[in-house]
Amino acid sequence: MEVIIIEKKTFEEMTAKFDEFVKRIENACLRNSAKGMGEWLDNQDVCRILNISPRTLQTLRDNGTLAYGQIHHKIYYKAGDVQRIVSVVENKRKEAGFRNKTI
């Protein structure tokens, strides 16, 4: 284990800056929660709600139909965005049904 010695004044300045940083983060969290960030859904939730496959969900992301956010390798969707495209998905499903009947 390596020991590093710093002056008391330097340590106090560092802790004061860290405390200030913590307060800024807490304030940012409070502002965002006050804005009503809402519930975030993952891939499985969205597939279940829209009754679509994961591949179809990827297509909706790729073509810009459904907005998403990504943290590391996990993708999240706002519940409001998913509700907005329910009619789009239903219309595409109906169009596909009509096309299959005419063949």
Side-chain angles (χ1 to χ4, degrees):
M1 179 169 80
E2 184 177 348
V3 177
I4 299 175
I5 300 173
I6 60 173
E7 293 179 5
K8 181 179 179 182
K9 181 181 174 183
T10 304
F11 178 77
E12 289 172 350
E13 288 174 1
M14 288 173 48
T15 56
K17 286 184 180 187
F18 184 75
D19 289 340
E20 180 185 331
F21 174 74
V22 169
K23 286 178 186 176
R24 289 175 58 197
I25 295 298
E26 287 173 346
N27 287 336
C29 290
L30 287 174
R31 281 193 310 269
N32 286 334
S33 66
K35 289 180 182 177
M37 291 292 283
E39 182 182 347
W40 287 79
L41 307 170
D42 65 5
N43 285 336
Q44 185 177 359
D45 295 331
V46 176
C47 286
R48 189 174 18 87
I49 290 168
L50 298 177
N51 194 25
I52 59 175
S53 69
R55 179 63 184 114
T56 302
L57 181 57
Q58 182 179 343
T59 300
L60 293 173
R61 284 194 314 265
D62 292 346
N63 66 21
T65 302
L66 182 58
Y68 65 95
Q70 186 171 356
I71 300 174
H72 296 290
H73 298 289
K74 185 116 171 124
I75 297 174
Y76 296 96
Y77 310 86
K78 287 186 179 180
D81 292 340
V82 173
Q83 290 300 322
R84 268 184 242 126
I85 68 157
V86 167
S87 61
V88 172
V89 171
E90 288 175 356
N91 289 340
K92 289 189 180 207
R93 189 173 287 131
K94 287 178 186 176
E95 288 174 11
F98 289 133
R99 273 188 253 134
N100 289 339
K101 289 180 183 179
T102 58
I103 294 178

